[in-house]
Amino acid sequence: MEAKSSNRCSFWLPKKKRSCANTRIESSMFCGNHSQRLEGQWIPCPIDPSHSVLQENLEWHVKRCPLLKQTVALSGQRFYQKGINAGNEEEEKLGSCCSDSLVTSEMKRKLLYSMSVSQFHQLIKKIEAVHGGICKEIDDSYLSPEACNIWFNKEIDRKLPFQEKHVLQQGSILGNLEEIGALKRCKINVECCESDLKEKDDNSVSAVVEFGAGRGYLTQMLADCYGIKKVYLVERKSYKLKADRSLRQKENLVLERMRIDIEDLNLNAVESLHGVPYVAVGKHLCGPATDLSLRCCLSRQDGESPVLRGLAIATCCHHLCQWKSYINKEYILSLGISKDEFHIMTSFTSWAVDDDHGSNLPGVDDIDLLASNAKEEEEGEVRDDSLSSVEEVVKKMKPMERAVLGFKCKQIIDAGRMKWVNKKHGLDSKLVKYIPASISPENTLLIAG
């Protein structure tokens, strides 16, 4: 199985979130189509870098790019500010003088395999020491709030899609917000919440901003169960079967869907949010999107800024994280982890949920159990110091050992985010496991209020 995958093209397809499945050509890491990129024939589209174009066709393409009309319309919006949440130049200089361009999965692998075996083992020891010092406990917080019973009991509009695993995740996210006091439970029904909001209680929350909203069904549940009356959905992609139609049918609910990259969103410039208390939510905000959302919510606040009452972000896809956008570089450097080591750590995180071991870990919810299982696999084995390359060492690692390392790296990355929210902005923040790993292995929730 491993030999077969090693012959595949290494080109990363961002929209499909996987590597190209074609066979790579001889003496190259890429297939015939994608090898041209190495020769400089393919370049990112200047309008939207998520897709590429042949350099010879660039002039023709920029006049007809399907996203041109959207980009022109977006540039006229007050809340659009290119790169406002991307990370500033001073942060980028920390730890490196390298270019701030995107570090791809292939580049991260090259960093890993360019290490000596001794450097690799030293990095593993460093990760284990750091994890032991800062990630002592991440509590389980699997909540099913009473307010969400209409969803749990399927008492919702039959036209709304219902998948139990998603409903359980959404309910637990909202339950954790309720537990820290950011959301108010309706004692009788949703109408009681609406009347409370009209009384303008200083502690009431009247709006929600959902980052990476997708179709918007996390916010749909929040509006159904907690009486939120202002809804802002932030999503750069276009989706069918959105919750928007159902939300718009709610009486007195104001909905604004902002099709924009979180990196470019100036939340302070959204006039209808000025001075409004709100909660920020995100379910599975991939890689750097979590860091961009934290900057968007918590940076550059002033008297007219929206009032953040609570935050709940379910993190995922740590292998996509970038040094440039990461929110707490200062903290990572203080741990003795360099920029290159950070990128290698993000590469390790994919081992936590890859297919090599995931099917063998049903219902495993605790990293200590993973670690003990990994130790059992290693009993009686002696490390082979004759291995000449890191690539050989990685291939020799047991799946459980790789999983443990991946989870530790994910938790270190999330711990840095939590500490940034706490130290820089004084919010009471913590990490919890909001759902069993048998439902989703990406089960870490950053909450603050």
Side-chain angles (χ1 to χ4, degrees):
M1 190 72 181
E2 194 162 334
K4 182 178 179 181
S5 63
S6 65
N7 290 326
R8 289 183 177 177
C9 172
S10 298
F11 187 81
W12 181 254
L13 304 171
K15 290 190 175 181
K16 296 184 178 180
K17 296 182 180 179
R18 63 169 176 82
S19 297
C20 172
N22 293 336
T23 302
R24 67 186 189 186
I25 61 178
E26 189 175 352
S27 71
S28 174
M29 294 296 292
F30 302 93
C31 65
N33 291 332
H34 295 128
S35 64
Q36 298 180 55
R37 169 164 292 204
L38 294 178
E39 300 167 9
Q41 296 182 23
W42 286 89
I43 59 174
C45 171
I47 296 172
D48 182 6
S50 66
H51 64 281
S52 302
V53 60
L54 280 169
Q55 191 166 13
E56 61 190 52
N57 296 335
L58 179 61
E59 185 177 352
W60 177 89
H61 176 82
V62 294
K63 297 177 182 178
R64 297 166 177 81
C65 178
L67 296 173
L68 178 60
K69 184 176 180 181
Q70 176 200 339
T71 304
V72 171
L74 187 61
S75 61
Q77 297 289 342
R78 287 190 62 185
F79 54 74
Y80 174 80
Q81 189 171 339
K82 183 68 175 175
I84 186 174
N85 302 314
N88 60 46
E89 293 180 3
E90 290 183 4
E91 287 179 325
E92 177 61 21
K93 291 175 183 177
L94 283 172
S96 176
C97 58
C98 299
S99 170
D100 61 357
S101 60
L102 178 71
V103 181
T104 64
S105 297
E106 176 62 22
M107 294 166 70
K108 292 176 181 180
R109 280 193 292 271
K110 286 183 177 179
L111 279 174
L112 171 61
Y113 294 146
S114 66
M115 301 176 75
S116 67
V117 174
S118 62
Q119 288 174 328
F120 175 77
H121 289 313
Q122 288 171 7
L123 177 58
I124 302 301
K125 289 180 180 178
K126 183 186 295 186
I127 291 170
E128 291 174 346
V130 167
H131 182 271
I134 67 174
C135 302
K136 295 179 180 179
E137 287 186 11
I138 298 180
D139 294 331
D140 294 343
S141 187
Y142 313 150
L143 301 182
S144 300
E146 185 180 347
C148 297
N149 279 347
I150 60 170
W151 273 81
F152 297 142
N153 298 331
K154 302 182 182 180
E155 298 171 1
I156 55 172
D157 186 343
R158 291 185 178 181
K159 294 180 181 179
L160 297 177
F162 182 95
Q163 285 187 291
E164 186 176 12
K165 68 175 184 178
H166 293 306
V167 170
L168 291 174
Q169 291 176 66
Q170 291 163 186
S172 187
I173 290 172
L174 301 184
N176 276 282
L177 276 173
E178 183 182 314
E179 189 173 65
I180 65 172
L183 289 178
K184 185 177 181 180
R185 177 185 297 183
C186 300
K187 296 179 181 178
I188 304 174
N189 51 35
V190 173
E191 284 72 21
C192 78
C193 284
E194 295 175 4
S195 63
D196 288 343
L197 290 175
K198 291 177 182 178
E199 295 174 4
K200 294 187 178 180
D201 179 4
D202 289 340
N203 294 319
S204 65
V205 171
S206 60
V208 57
V209 178
E210 182 178 358
F211 293 96
R215 293 177 174 85
Y217 286 104
L218 172 58
T219 290
Q220 173 80 62
M221 179 183 281
L222 203 162
D224 287 346
C225 304
Y226 291 92
I228 295 293
K229 304 310 292 180
K230 285 188 176 183
V231 170
Y232 300 84
L233 303 177
V234 182
E235 175 58 61
R236 66 181 180 182
K237 296 180 181 178
S238 177
Y239 284 90
K240 296 180 180 179
L241 304 175
K242 300 188 291 286
D244 300 36
R245 179 177 295 181
S246 173
L247 288 168
R248 292 185 195 281
Q249 291 174 352
K250 289 184 172 293
E251 187 177 357
N252 299 324
L253 185 142
V254 177
L255 168 65
E256 185 172 349
R257 178 175 280 270
M258 294 179 280
R259 190 175 174 189
I260 185 174
D261 195 311
I262 303 169
E263 179 178 302
D264 305 322
L265 174 61
N266 182 358
L267 205 60
N268 293 344
V270 181
E271 292 184 2
S272 56
L273 255 180
H274 283 179
V276 175
Y278 76 101
V279 292
V281 296
K283 177 173 173 282
H284 296 315
L285 271 174
C286 293
T290 294
D291 304 297
L292 302 178
S293 299
L294 291 175
R295 276 198 188 89
C296 188
C297 290
L298 295 169
S299 298
R300 298 168 295 278
Q301 295 195 351
D302 53 41
E304 291 188 347
S305 298
V307 183
L308 181 64
R309 295 293 192 203
L311 174 83
I313 294 178
T315 63
C316 79
C317 300
H318 297 73
H319 63 284
L320 297 177
C321 290
Q322 299 287 319
W323 178 257
K324 178 186 176 183
S325 58
Y326 185 67
I327 201 75
N328 205 350
K329 301 180 185 69
E330 183 180 355
Y331 178 73
I332 290 294
L333 292 172
S334 73
L335 298 174
I337 298 172
S338 68
K339 172 183 175 179
D340 287 347
E341 288 173 336
F342 173 84
H343 280 136
I344 292 170
M345 283 175 56
T346 65
S347 178
F348 289 159
T349 62
S350 64
W351 295 350
V353 292
D354 66 25
D355 292 334
D356 290 338
H357 63 265
S359 59
N360 298 323
L361 299 173
V364 175
D365 305 322
D366 194 272
I367 197 170
D368 293 333
L369 179 58
L370 281 172
S372 64
N373 289 342
K375 288 180 180 178
E376 288 178 7
E377 288 189 357
E378 292 175 356
E379 284 182 0
E381 295 186 8
V382 179
R383 176 176 290 169
D384 187 355
D385 293 326
S386 65
L387 298 177
S388 60
S389 70
V390 171
E391 189 168 3
E392 291 179 354
V393 175
V394 170
K395 288 179 179 179
K396 289 283 185 179
M397 291 175 71
K398 297 289 185 180
M400 195 71 70
E401 188 181 0
R402 287 158 55 105
V404 170
L405 182 61
F407 275 115
K408 286 181 177 179
C409 291
K410 289 166 76 73
Q411 291 182 358
I412 291 171
I413 291 170
D414 285 339
R417 292 162 165 168
M418 176 195 69
K419 290 179 182 296
W420 182 84
V421 172
N422 195 325
K423 184 177 179 180
K424 297 288 186 180
H425 298 279
L427 296 177
D428 184 12
S429 59
K430 62 179 179 178
L431 296 172
V432 298
K433 297 176 185 176
Y434 75 104
I435 206 74
S438 55
I439 294 177
S440 173
E442 300 278 21
N443 64 345
T444 300
L445 182 70
L446 170 59
I447 55 177

